[in-house]
Amino acid sequence: MQKVLIVDDEPDIRELLEITLGRMQLDTQSAADLESARLLLKTGDYHLCLTDMRLPDGNGLELVKEIQSNYPHIPVAVITAHGSTETAITALKSGAFDFVSKPVDLMKLRSLVSTALKLSHEPNQIKSTDEPIPIKIDGNSKQVRTLKDQISKLARSQAPVFISGESGSGKELAARAIHTLGPRKDKEFVAINCGAIPSELMESEFFGHLKGSFTGAEKDKEGLFKAADGGSLFLDEIADLPLHMQVKLLRAIQEKAIRPVGSQSEIAVDVRIISATHKNLAEAVEAGTLRQDLFYRINVIELKVPSLRERKMDIPILAQNILGRLAADHQQERVSISTTALAKLGQYNFPGNIRELENILQRAYALSEGNEIDEVDLPLTSSTTELPDGDFSLEQHLEEIERKALQNALERSRWNKTAAAKKLGMTFRSFRYRIKKLGLDNDKE
């Protein structure tokens, strides 16, 4: 039977927790202060610790830090006073798994306990930084090893994570890894680009709506929060959210509940929030485009994903793996890449990071004549390692690379769109959409 340590100086709270956890078929032991809790930890074997923040002989944060140092296999959840968001955030930053506010909502408590108990308990099951970690992030550089180590630690917490990094550097991949390694892996990972949703549809997309709640709402719709219930919600480009949605998002995160458009009641949801943006959040707060209270709530723990410029030694393995995936997708023979081509890639700046490397290799793979990609096959716009002077648009840069790849495929296929689409490994519909968007549709066939 799994065992939980309860630390609280209020007899009524201890009794409530003991009864609730007992009904979940869990064994419990209780302590009224830090000293008693320390003695029990030395003699007992626990799967979870629930501790109040205010104790007669100290602070619950002391216990959180001690357990993190001496018993890292035991997740710790803290019990905070109602509305004390700052205290909860401090606890999460100190290593707490999660928190529950007084008065204790028993449904939320049971959900928290169930999630915590899914974590690996045995100390020898916790992976060291030298052991292989099942994270699908290619590379052996020091930066990638550090990133994987941080991801494996963050996966054991429920604290909101903010992932910073340039566009195309792999922020969503890092978010998926945090989800996959954590106790929510059996539930959904839902990703959304906050900058891609029209402002007037955001509330419905996030929280859902009831039939007839507005013109066009012909049936009930489940929002993204509900779709991610029990799992993780990845909010990409969160700095692009309009202010009115920031208020609603903040409430949903703090209350762990949502209200669908047209509904008079709230629905409890249990999601882990992982957010990202290529923008500087502190500057967004300073400019007034991001609410400071939302900034503090989502930026509990920051994870920085390095740019490709910072990890150029990973380019060879990235290139080989990308080409391997392309060959598998097209059911064709694997194509190699020459040392001179790799050297040329190593000299390039990659403002579009891994996404740009994928675009470059996809074009080279489609247009190369032999079984090896050489430097002449690489559509690099510059060999400099410096960023362009003045203002720089990453989207325009990537569009230009895509435009050249599409145009070359059309020319090599004598403007047969079906053949060109096949050469690039795209569906005809997608190919037609892209050439029209990029102004290459001149109706030649």
Side-chain angles (χ1 to χ4, degrees):
M1 183 180 287
Q2 292 176 303
K3 188 185 292 185
V4 181
L5 174 62
I6 298 168
V7 186
D8 200 300
D9 62 333
E10 297 182 50
D12 291 347
I13 296 292
R14 290 201 303 272
E15 184 179 6
L16 173 66
L17 296 177
E18 288 167 357
I19 292 172
T20 302
L21 299 186
R23 289 173 177 168
M24 295 176 70
Q25 306 303 311
L26 298 172
D27 185 19
T28 61
Q29 284 191 296
S30 298
D33 51 43
L34 282 175
E35 184 179 358
S36 302
R38 288 173 179 136
L39 288 173
L40 288 172
L41 282 167
K42 288 179 181 178
T43 57
D45 187 21
Y46 300 97
H47 295 76
L48 171 66
C49 175
L50 293 171
T51 180
D52 193 14
M53 288 294 286
R54 294 185 178 181
L55 296 167
D57 53 349
N59 192 300
L61 285 180
E62 296 177 46
L63 190 60
V64 171
K65 293 174 181 176
E66 287 178 26
I67 291 177
Q68 277 285 296
S69 298
N70 304 321
Y71 313 94
H73 55 287
I74 305 177
V76 188
V78 298
I79 303 168
T80 65
H82 178 70
S84 56
T85 304
E86 288 186 13
T87 303
I89 290 174
T90 302
L92 292 172
K93 285 182 180 290
S94 300
F97 168 81
D98 207 344
F99 70 94
V100 61
S101 300
K102 293 180 181 179
V104 177
D105 183 314
L106 296 184
M107 184 181 296
K108 292 179 181 178
L109 174 66
R110 284 191 285 265
S111 175
L112 181 154
V113 170
S114 297
T115 303
L117 293 177
K118 292 177 185 175
L119 286 171
S120 171
H121 170 61
E122 297 300 327
N124 59 12
Q125 290 182 4
I126 297 177
K127 298 184 180 294
S128 72
T129 56
D130 297 327
E131 293 178 330
I133 300 173
I135 300 174
K136 294 180 180 179
I137 298 177
D138 298 329
N140 296 313
S141 64
K142 178 182 177 182
Q143 291 84 351
V144 168
R145 292 199 305 271
T146 299
L147 179 65
K148 289 182 178 181
D149 183 44
Q150 291 172 331
I151 286 173
S152 66
K153 291 176 181 176
L154 291 177
R156 292 183 55 81
S157 167
Q158 293 304 289
V161 176
F162 169 68
I163 304 176
S164 61
E166 297 177 7
S167 291
S169 58
K171 296 189 292 296
E172 183 172 340
L173 201 60
R176 286 184 182 276
I178 293 171
H179 171 80
T180 303
L181 292 180
R184 297 175 177 268
K185 62 184 178 182
D186 295 329
K187 297 293 184 178
E188 292 296 317
F189 173 89
V190 177
I192 178 172
N193 187 326
C194 298
I197 305 175
S199 178
E200 64 274 13
L201 298 179
M202 278 189 172
E203 190 171 356
S204 172
E205 287 292 319
F206 274 72
F207 310 129
H209 64 248
L210 300 185
K211 178 181 178 181
S213 55
F214 56 86
T215 303
E218 298 178 354
K219 58 181 179 180
D220 290 355
K221 177 180 178 178
E222 181 184 72
L224 294 167
F225 264 84
K226 189 61 181 173
D229 196 13
S232 303
L233 183 61
F234 176 54
L235 303 173
D236 197 10
E237 299 303 346
I238 193 168
D240 291 341
L241 277 179
L243 289 171
H244 77 277
M245 269 306 298
Q246 293 180 26
V247 176
K248 295 178 184 295
L249 175 62
L250 179 63
R251 176 174 173 77
I253 294 173
Q254 290 184 164
E255 301 300 324
K256 297 185 178 181
I258 59 169
R259 178 175 294 174
V261 178
S263 175
Q264 298 302 311
S265 57
E266 290 190 331
I267 302 171
V269 288
D270 172 30
V271 298
R272 183 179 191 183
I273 298 294
I274 306 174
S275 57
T277 184
H278 69 282
K279 297 180 179 178
N280 185 306
L281 285 190
E283 290 180 1
V285 172
E286 187 70 25
T289 58
L290 182 72
R291 290 178 60 95
Q292 189 173 54
D293 46 8
L294 180 61
F295 168 76
Y296 286 127
R297 200 64 185 83
I298 62 174
N299 193 30
V300 174
I301 301 174
E302 182 174 354
L303 177 69
K304 186 180 185 305
V305 176
S307 68
L308 190 51
R309 293 187 301 283
E310 297 173 88
R311 43 178 291 218
K312 283 192 173 182
M313 69 168 287
D314 292 326
I315 289 176
I317 190 170
L318 285 166
Q320 294 292 352
N321 290 347
I322 291 168
L323 291 173
R325 289 195 295 270
L326 289 172
D329 290 344
H330 298 161
Q331 296 183 335
Q332 294 179 356
E333 220 175 290
R334 188 172 183 135
V335 172
S336 62
I337 183 167
S338 70
T339 54
T340 53
L342 286 174
K344 187 174 181 181
L345 289 173
Q347 295 169 357
Y348 183 58
N349 173 51
F350 284 107
N353 290 291
I354 299 172
R355 189 184 302 150
E356 183 177 7
L357 176 62
E358 290 174 341
N359 289 346
I360 289 169
L361 291 177
Q362 184 173 27
R363 181 206 167 193
Y365 177 86
L367 302 181
S368 62
E369 299 292 345
N371 293 323
E372 183 179 67
I373 292 174
D374 203 358
E375 60 178 316
V376 296
D377 301 314
L378 299 175
L380 303 183
T381 57
S382 171
S383 60
T384 179
T385 56
E386 298 297 325
L387 283 169
D389 292 331
D391 293 338
F392 174 71
S393 170
L394 174 61
E395 295 305 321
Q396 289 179 9
H397 177 75
L398 296 179
E399 278 189 4
E400 184 58 31
I401 292 174
E402 185 177 13
R403 182 181 288 106
K404 289 180 179 179
L406 293 169
Q407 187 159 0
N408 275 330
L410 283 166
E411 289 172 355
R412 284 180 175 239
S413 304
R414 297 183 180 180
W415 292 89
N416 183 311
K417 296 173 187 173
T418 302
K422 185 177 181 181
K423 187 177 284 289
L424 291 174
M426 302 171 69
T427 64
F428 178 73
R429 183 177 180 180
S430 176
F431 182 84
R432 187 173 59 182
Y433 169 78
R434 299 305 301 172
I435 62 174
K436 185 175 181 180
K437 181 181 178 183
L438 296 172
L440 296 174
D441 189 7
N442 58 5
D443 295 322
K444 291 182 182 180
E445 188 75 57

